[in-house]
Amino acid sequence: MSIYTGRGDEGKTDLRDMTRVSKSSARIEAYGTVDELNALIGTIRPTDHDDINERLRTIQNQLHVVLADFANPDPDEDDPVVRAEHVETIEDWIDEYDEELEPLTSFILPTGSEHGSKLHHARTVCRRSERRAVALANEEPINEQAVQYLNRLSDGLFTLARVVNKRDGEREEQPQY
């Protein structure tokens, strides 16, 4: 299989069902930003925390499901799609890690250790992915579970950033107004 085909040289690409669309379409923007998020998470692994590494590996695999979901405008029954259990997994992790953290009393600055800061960055890219998914949903039907997953994942990445920073001995900083 050749890496290059030349099929995209005119600004179009194939969806999973072989429909040709512009590379600037909302669908391509949506899954392209999810791909960016996945690559960014890859720069965070490995951390010094085995449980966080395993969560990030799972997230990267789940993001491939989001990519497949967005790349397929008309999935068959056996095609990969985001399901409620993907969202529930992130919620379970948030609940688990919240027990390790002090309750939030204000906003915090997105900073900390190297891995904590990168997780905050990943959270912002996840939020952008969610905005791109909502823009796509405004144009055509998509799996609403995928949008919910991205929303919950941004909360999960925020929580993971806080946990990593705490474990790495970094204190949370409040913004000064």
Side-chain angles (χ1 to χ4, degrees):
M1 178 178 174
S2 177
I3 296 297
Y4 62 91
T5 64
R7 288 183 44 81
D9 291 350
E10 296 176 3
K12 293 196 177 231
T13 192
D14 295 322
L15 297 178
R16 184 150 185 220
D17 66 358
M18 300 311 290
T19 303
R20 300 278 295 161
V21 297
S22 170
K23 290 183 178 185
S24 67
S25 77
R27 186 170 293 278
I28 303 305
E29 274 294 318
Y31 77 70
T33 309
V34 171
D35 189 31
E36 178 185 355
L37 171 61
N38 204 347
L40 178 57
I41 290 172
T43 69
I44 301 167
R45 288 182 43 219
T47 68
D48 295 331
H49 313 286
D50 290 341
D51 60 322
I52 303 293
N53 294 335
E54 187 55 40
R55 301 295 198 246
L56 294 175
R57 181 182 352 274
T58 299
I59 289 167
Q60 285 192 286
N61 282 294
Q62 289 174 343
L63 287 172
H64 268 275
V65 175
V66 177
L67 289 167
D69 202 331
F70 287 165
N72 194 354
D74 189 24
D76 291 329
E77 192 173 297
D78 58 339
D79 286 333
V81 294
V82 179
R83 302 189 190 292
E85 52 264 22
H86 293 107
V87 176
E88 291 163 6
T89 296
I90 302 298
E91 290 173 346
D92 290 344
W93 293 345
I94 293 169
D95 293 341
E96 174 188 330
Y97 285 120
D98 264 348
E99 293 179 17
E100 188 175 334
L101 296 167
E102 296 296 321
L104 276 177
T105 58
S106 70
F107 289 108
I108 60 172
L109 296 176
T111 188
S113 68
E114 177 184 358
H115 293 112
S117 295
K118 285 183 177 181
L119 282 160
H120 278 299
H121 183 193
R123 173 191 53 81
T124 67
V125 174
C126 189
R127 286 285 188 210
R128 181 161 32 95
S129 296
E130 180 187 7
R131 292 190 303 271
R132 297 294 188 267
V134 169
L136 172 59
N138 287 336
E139 291 185 14
E140 55 187 288
I142 64 168
N143 177 3
E144 67 183 45
Q145 293 291 328
V147 177
Q148 290 176 6
Y149 176 81
L150 292 171
N151 180 273
R152 209 66 81 250
L153 178 59
S154 64
D155 296 333
L157 293 169
F158 177 77
T159 303
L160 290 176
R162 292 188 67 215
V163 166
V164 166
N165 281 334
K166 179 181 180 193
R167 290 179 184 179
D168 290 348
E170 297 288 335
R171 71 175 188 83
E172 294 179 337
E173 297 178 35
Q174 296 176 352
Q176 303 298 309
Y177 297 101

